[in-house]
Amino acid sequence: TIYNMHITGGRSFSELFPTFSHIFSDFAVKHKSKSSGQSTIILSSDNGQKDLTKCIQTQIHRYKMFVETLRNAADFDKEDVSQNKAHHNCRRFFKIKSRRPEVTSIIKNAFSDSLLSSWSADLDGSSQLWNLQWTWGVPKASDFEHLLVFQKVSRFRGTRGLTRKDLLKKNIQRFALVFSAPAAGLDEKSNDSFNIMPLTYALPHEYNSFVSGYSSIQKLCGVKSMNYWIIKPIGMSRGRGISVVSDIDEVSYSQPIVIQRYISDPFLFLGFKFDLRLYVLVTSFAPIEAFIYKEGLARFGSRSYSSRLESLRDNRIHLTNSSIQKEFNGDIDRSHPAYLAGSNGADSKVAISWLWKRLDEIGIDTDSLWEKIIEVCVTALAASGSDIQNQPNSFELFGFDV
């Protein structure tokens, strides 16, 4: 069973689409008010009523073509469609746009669930005969110009402010500044909710600031073994290029990176470091409409945690990325959580539901922990979402590492 929680509370249709034009991807354009800086949707020309009429007529024409293609592909005649109108109307089609066989396999397997029996793959390979298109790459802007209002694409455009490490850091800092306690009238506790990242610098632009921060911490710590930093290339995923360092001479930025203060005393479970991979489904950025799935993955290191300086380069201890840990699956023994989890574990990962039960047993308030995790997700979405334009035909499933 898949559980989900609505992040932002229930919203009515009128809140998601405050004007009729909001439902059309090829009709609305982004507009920033010079006075308030807020994003609003305006008509794409001065003669708005004429544009709206033309857009609706175009939608009607496209829909007629869609239905006609559907009838021909399904080998229905008009009488058959009329007699089986209820069955015909409930049919839904998905299209997979990816050259990766594993993506195709996962999506087809998901749609094979009995709860999705009304869905099937697009009938004739037509580029437009689908209700939902699951795409691996970022669609072009032109891909949205000829969509019907009910067609959904599994990607938003312009989400780098959320998915790229340096831009996310910048957006969170900006968000915290705008909504700081003195300016927004928030109490100190509310203001702390914006602090969702360790001390972070984007290099090379903030190198001098990093040196100053590193030196200040060095003086406070007194010992180099406590001044740990983690380096992450800004545009890479799956743990590629990540390293943990303690000496400033080890910091190289031949390519753009972010460098963060490393959490050297993380919360451990059975002596192992772990993080959580959560999945957040976003259906709208303007306004934010998102769902967080309660089930996810807890990703563990394959060796017991140690903060000793000599262990700093041991990826088995410090980096929990699945792509890295899969190289060390042979090191996992009977004391590892993934082994103890049985069918709820695999490789170096366990289901969050299993971990939550174990944490409850040792007195951890998982309900409170979950609320804090939701706050982190909401803050990240709110901080980056203001720069993402209205895209009513889009949705996207994002992976959050907490």
Side-chain angles (χ1 to χ4, degrees):
T1 304
I2 297 177
Y3 299 94
N4 62 66
M5 177 178 290
H6 197 215
I7 287 181
T8 56
R11 290 187 184 273
S12 66
F13 185 87
S14 61
E15 288 178 301
L16 288 173
F17 304 101
T19 69
F20 186 65
S21 60
H22 277 70
I23 69 174
F24 302 116
S25 283
D26 59 344
F27 182 68
V29 296
K30 186 81 167 181
H31 172 70
K32 277 192 175 294
S33 168
K34 293 183 179 179
S35 59
S36 66
Q38 296 298 313
S39 298
T40 58
I41 301 300
I42 62 171
L43 304 186
S44 57
S45 77
D46 293 335
N47 197 349
Q49 189 61 43
K50 182 181 291 186
D51 282 352
L52 182 56
T53 301
K54 181 179 179 180
C55 186
I56 295 173
Q57 290 174 340
T58 302
Q59 284 281 316
I60 293 172
H61 175 68
R62 292 174 189 162
Y63 180 70
K64 287 180 177 178
M65 293 179 61
F66 183 94
V67 172
E68 188 62 30
T69 304
L70 175 61
R71 286 170 173 167
N72 294 337
D75 197 26
F76 287 153
D77 59 34
K78 293 183 179 179
E79 182 179 353
D80 185 41
V81 172
S82 177
Q83 292 175 353
N84 297 278
K85 187 174 181 180
H87 173 72
H88 175 68
N89 287 341
C90 73
R91 299 192 68 185
R92 302 290 184 270
F93 299 93
F94 66 89
K95 182 181 181 68
I96 303 172
K97 192 175 181 180
S98 174
R99 295 180 179 179
R100 295 172 175 260
E102 65 273 22
V103 173
T104 300
S105 176
I106 290 171
I107 300 305
K108 285 186 175 181
N109 183 62
F111 276 104
S112 67
D113 190 285
S114 59
L115 295 175
L116 301 175
S117 59
S118 63
W119 287 83
S120 55
D122 58 322
L123 293 173
D124 63 352
S126 168
S127 60
Q128 292 300 321
L129 190 57
W130 46 267
N131 299 81
L132 182 152
Q133 177 175 272
W134 194 280
T135 180
W136 181 258
V138 178
K140 299 177 182 178
S142 58
D143 293 340
F144 291 92
E145 292 179 357
H146 305 294
L147 296 181
L148 290 158
V149 292
F150 60 80
Q151 291 182 302
K152 301 295 182 180
V153 181
S154 66
R155 294 293 296 270
F156 283 94
R157 288 180 51 78
T159 59
R160 291 199 309 164
L162 175 64
T163 60
R164 214 176 82 170
K165 301 176 182 69
D166 58 331
L167 297 180
L168 177 60
K169 175 255 184 187
K170 179 181 178 181
N171 284 331
I172 290 174
Q173 286 183 335
R174 180 186 63 179
F175 189 72
L177 181 63
V178 171
F179 293 97
S180 60
L186 299 177
D187 57 32
E188 186 175 344
K189 181 178 179 181
S190 298
N191 197 38
D192 286 342
S193 65
F194 303 133
N195 185 24
I196 64 172
M197 295 180 74
L199 182 61
T200 304
Y201 299 96
L203 305 188
H205 301 299
E206 297 180 329
Y207 181 75
N208 290 337
S209 298
F210 161 66
V211 172
S212 177
Y214 177 92
S215 301
S216 298
I217 293 172
Q218 190 66 50
K219 291 177 182 178
L220 290 174
C221 293
V223 289
K224 189 175 294 186
S225 60
M226 296 298 293
N227 199 2
Y228 292 171
W229 295 78
I230 184 166
I231 297 172
K232 303 176 182 179
I234 63 169
M236 302 184 77
S237 59
R238 302 192 298 277
R240 293 172 295 175
I242 295 179
S243 61
V244 182
V245 301
S246 63
D247 193 327
I248 197 170
D249 292 335
E250 298 178 87
V251 178
S252 172
Y253 49 89
S254 56
Q255 59 179 327
I257 63 170
V258 295
I259 184 165
Q260 296 178 306
R261 183 80 193 281
Y262 183 63
I263 301 174
S264 57
D265 58 342
F267 176 71
L268 306 177
F269 180 71
L270 301 180
F272 292 87
K273 178 186 173 181
F274 68 96
D275 73 354
L276 304 179
R277 163 51 70 93
L278 305 166
Y279 294 96
V280 178
L281 175 66
V282 179
T283 54
S284 171
F285 277 100
I288 294 176
E289 181 89 346
F291 302 81
I292 181 168
Y293 289 82
K294 287 187 174 181
E295 187 60 282
L297 301 172
R299 309 181 304 179
F300 287 84
S302 53
R303 287 190 67 179
S304 297
Y305 183 76
S306 170
S307 61
R308 293 179 301 175
L309 184 61
E310 56 268 28
S311 73
L312 211 57
R313 294 187 179 278
D314 193 337
N315 290 343
R316 296 171 295 179
I317 295 174
H318 295 283
L319 304 185
T320 58
N321 306 73
S322 299
S323 297
I324 291 177
Q325 290 300 328
K326 69 180 182 180
E327 301 178 19
F328 310 116
N329 287 338
D331 296 340
I332 294 176
D333 58 26
R334 292 174 178 266
S335 66
H336 195 278
Y339 180 87
L340 298 174
S343 60
N344 290 300
D347 300 329
S348 59
K349 304 179 290 292
V350 305
I352 284 182
S353 55
W354 180 87
L355 177 64
W356 255 219
K357 291 179 181 179
R358 305 289 86 76
L359 293 180
D360 284 333
E361 291 172 358
I362 61 176
I364 302 297
D365 186 353
T366 55
D367 289 336
S368 176
L369 180 60
W370 183 248
E371 291 300 320
K372 292 179 181 179
I373 289 173
I374 291 176
E375 286 183 9
V376 170
C377 296
V378 171
T379 300
L381 291 173
S384 56
S386 60
D387 291 331
I388 301 174
Q389 68 182 39
N390 179 55
Q391 299 171 59
N393 288 96
S394 294
F395 71 96
E396 189 160 348
L397 186 65
F398 294 96
F400 279 65
D401 297 335
V402 179

